[in-house]
Amino acid sequence: QVQLVESGGGLVQAGGSLRLSCAASSRIFSFDVMGWYRQAPGKQRELVAAINRGRPTTYADSVKDRFTILTDNDKNTVYLQMNSLKPEDTAVYYCARDRGGLRSWGQGTQVTVSS
C-alpha cells in the first residue's frame, strides 16, 4: 500500500501563492492517475486537478488558469502550484493515487486564505 504525504499548506492572504507537495512512498508510474482534491467545512470533497501521462490534465473550473499540477517522477512527488488564491480556496487539500481501480489518500494539508 502506498503512503502519500502532503506538505506545503498554511495561511496566506488573498492573491498570494502556495505550493503543495505530495511525496509517494513508491514509484509513480505512467499509468497512475495522481490527483489533488479538497474539502471545505460542510462541503463534499471535490477534485481540484488530476494528471496522468498521455492524457490531458484535468482542472476544476474554479481553479483553471490559477492552479497547476506537476509531477516529478524521479522524486515520486506531485505538486500543486496555487496562484491568485481566493478565500473560497480555503480547505483541506488531499493527494490521491488511482491505480487499478484503487484509490489511496494522503492525510491532507490545511490551506487557509484570508481576505
Side-chain angles (χ1 to χ4, degrees):
Q1 185 74 306
V2 67
Q3 290 187 338
L4 302 171
V5 179
E6 300 99 332
S7 61
L11 174 63
V12 64
Q13 288 188 335
S17 298
L18 282 176
R19 190 186 200 194
L20 305 183
S21 299
C22 170
S25 62
S26 60
R27 183 176 175 183
I28 298 174
F29 289 97
S30 59
F31 51 80
D32 292 330
V33 179
M34 301 302 299
W36 284 97
Y37 294 75
R38 68 185 181 187
Q39 188 167 18
K43 295 187 177 181
Q44 290 188 331
R45 193 171 297 188
E46 63 175 357
L47 175 68
V48 176
I51 189 168
N52 168 252
R53 260 192 270 175
R55 294 184 183 179
T57 303
T58 301
Y59 292 99
D61 288 342
S62 59
V63 307
K64 280 181 182 176
D65 300 324
R66 299 189 298 122
F67 290 10
T68 304
I69 186 170
L70 302 163
T71 59
D72 185 336
N73 291 334
D74 290 338
K75 296 182 178 179
N76 298 323
T77 301
V78 181
Y79 303 96
L80 185 67
Q81 178 65 44
M82 306 186 295
N83 298 327
S84 302
L85 282 162
K86 303 176 181 180
E88 51 263 44
D89 294 319
T90 295
V92 178
Y93 284 71
Y94 298 89
C95 176
R97 186 195 76 178
D98 289 354
R99 177 185 289 182
L102 296 178
R103 178 169 293 167
S104 301
W105 293 99
Q107 83 288 350
T109 185
Q110 176 70 47
V111 172
T112 303
V113 184
S114 63
S115 57

